[in-house]
Amino acid sequence: MRIGVLTGGGDVPGLNAAIRAVARRAFEYGHEVFAIKDGYRGLIEGDVEPLTGESISGIIHVGGTILGASRTNPFKKEGDVERCMKNIEEFGLDAIVAIGGDDTLGVAYKFHKMGIPIVGIPKTMDNDVAETDYCIGFDTAVSIVTDALDKVHTTACSHHRVIVVEVMGRDAGWVATIGGLAGGADFIIPPEVPSSIDEVCEHVERRWEEGKRFSIIVVSEGAQIEGIPSREVEEIDEFGHKRLKKREIGPILAEEIEKRTGRTSRCVVLGHLQRGGSPTTFDRVLAMRMGVRAVDMIEEGKFGYMAALRGNEILPIELEKVAGKTRQVDLELYRVAKVFY
Ligand code: F6P
């Protein structure tokens, strides 16, 4: 059997561990494995080449993806789906493993409905893929946020400042909530929870009155804060998502806090630092378990499924249940975080 593997969407640490796992399990079954370059772009353009034992060696700890990644949507441009079909046939691919977030897995589901033998593996630092408790890359990203909060804490304390830390998270606040909880944030603003600038400033002032002359505020890039001048974002990606890099909610929030409270405020935008470096132990093991399971699913002829983590088990879940959905942050976690404000 010939198995193609691709990584779509934003890169995260742990992808290489997953690719290695897919290849190693496939080799064990006696299959060949092909690298589809830069997500679905490689399938459209026929940028496909064999993966060897050598090419997947020594990559378990390396961030990024040896396959390259892109946010290419084959359903966007006329003719691209047909190009994908032609290349699948030309390269003789009997199965595809698509590793990615909701967009990549949504395309996988559409391909599955067209009869393409495909399985999915969930990865995204946002942790917002439906039907899985964890996605590859989230644990590493949130550990980076926790570490950053530990670091800004000392400066905030020494200089009696407010420090706003802007983290990624367009529609879901997993990174903000869990990172903020672990890093001892004094206020967390995920996209799912309505908040206002008055509320934030009152909290900062209350802490000052209690003798806590600093505050760490964690805000998701996609958060909506009542009373903050909104900045329209024009740039849209191929899946219709707004690119939020120019929204600058963190810097605007810091400026507004300083203006209203008179407390010196600074902002740190963690940005792509959250997607870099080596994967944590958790992400490596998750990636390896999911990679092995995905190939086992192919072996069982279980196409149209995703290898999901449920509790401590890796289970096959229908892509139909995953496509087009976003898993929002567990509000119970947010309530726990609020206990420590
Ligand atoms: O999709 C994951 C993500 O990290 C989002 O949280 C973020 O909004 C986006 O990617 C950034 O995309 P890019 O790397 O293309 O700027």
Side-chain angles (χ1 to χ4, degrees):
M1 199 187 275
R2 287 183 155 200
I3 300 176
V5 55
L6 64 85
T7 51
D11 71 333
V12 291
L15 280 173
N16 285 331
I19 296 160
R20 173 178 170 269
V22 166
R24 290 286 286 269
R25 186 57 151 187
F27 293 155
E28 209 174 82
Y29 283 122
H31 302 318
E32 287 175 88
V33 183
F34 285 75
I36 301 170
K37 301 296 193 68
D38 303 341
Y40 291 111
R41 184 201 66 80
L43 207 53
I44 295 168
E45 295 177 14
D47 195 355
V48 177
E49 61 183 45
L51 270 182
T52 62
E54 207 180 317
S55 50
I56 55 143
S57 157
I59 61 168
I60 191 171
H61 62 290
V62 184
T65 161
I66 57 161
L67 306 180
S70 76
R71 295 191 188 277
T72 309
N73 180 357
F75 288 88
K76 183 86 184 149
K77 213 173 94 206
E78 226 188 288
D80 277 354
V81 169
E82 292 68 27
R83 280 181 200 102
C84 289
M85 304 290 260
K86 190 181 124 273
N87 285 322
I88 290 170
E89 211 182 299
E90 244 165 52
F91 286 95
L93 300 179
D94 302 296
I96 294 174
V97 181
I99 312 176
D102 50 343
D103 294 333
T104 304
L105 298 170
V107 168
Y109 177 55
K110 284 187 186 166
F111 276 158
H112 165 66
K113 280 197 296 183
M114 292 167 61
I116 294 173
I118 195 162
V119 297
I121 295 180
K123 80 73 224 173
T124 166
M125 61 153 295
D126 295 337
N127 208 34
D128 61 355
V129 171
E131 301 289 334
T132 182
D133 293 342
Y134 270 82
C135 300
I136 298 168
F138 171 67
D139 187 66
T140 307
V142 86
S143 303
I144 292 167
V145 172
T146 305
D147 183 50
L149 294 186
D150 289 348
K151 287 178 173 137
V152 297
H153 239 107
T154 48
T155 294
C157 268
S158 312
H159 288 265
H160 316 299
R161 282 176 178 167
V162 175
I163 300 196
V164 173
V165 179
E166 182 190 307
V167 300
M168 280 186 174
R170 210 165 23 207
D171 309 302
W174 290 98
V175 176
T177 306
I178 299 193
L181 174 61
D186 303 306
F187 206 98
I188 302 170
I189 318 177
E192 295 93 338
V193 182
S195 65
S196 70
I197 184 69
D198 289 343
E199 199 189 341
V200 176
C201 291
E202 272 163 30
H203 189 70
V204 167
E205 285 302 270
R206 198 175 320 124
R207 283 177 51 80
W208 237 273
E209 280 156 24
E210 287 169 3
K212 295 171 186 158
R213 297 189 297 145
F214 72 93
S215 283
I216 309 285
I217 320 273
V218 178
V219 62
S220 300
E221 61 181 346
Q224 302 293 337
I225 307 169
E226 197 193 314
I228 292 269
S230 67
R231 186 170 291 184
E232 265 316 300
V233 180
E234 305 295 340
E235 226 181 298
I236 303 273
D237 71 17
E238 289 198 12
F239 287 89
H241 305 298
K242 287 185 173 176
R243 290 193 195 274
L244 299 184
K245 63 181 193 292
K246 292 195 186 124
R247 191 161 175 256
E248 294 183 342
I249 186 80
I252 296 174
L253 175 61
E255 232 177 83
E256 204 60 28
I257 293 172
E258 184 164 308
K259 206 157 73 190
R260 291 180 182 227
T261 63
R263 311 289 178 201
T264 309
S265 304
R266 295 283 188 270
C267 174
V268 180
V269 179
L270 293 183
H272 291 86
L273 283 177
Q274 295 160 94
R275 293 196 344 219
S278 293
T280 56
T281 306
F282 184 89
D283 269 332
R284 294 178 197 204
V285 174
L286 181 68
M288 286 190 262
R289 292 179 73 195
M290 286 179 165
V292 167
R293 191 73 183 91
V295 176
D296 289 348
M297 278 163 16
I298 292 174
E299 199 62 21
E300 293 157 17
K302 238 175 155 41
F303 296 110
Y305 283 78
M306 170 185 91
L309 180 71
R310 293 288 195 86
N312 199 25
E313 266 186 290
I314 306 286
L315 298 175
I317 301 288
E318 293 95 328
L319 282 171
E320 185 181 4
K321 294 186 176 158
V322 175
K325 308 219 173 66
T326 301
R327 194 172 71 105
Q328 296 209 306
V329 75
D330 177 356
L331 291 178
E332 183 48 33
L333 278 169
Y334 181 74
R335 281 191 281 276
V336 171
K338 277 184 85 169
V339 171
F340 304 98
Y341 278 13

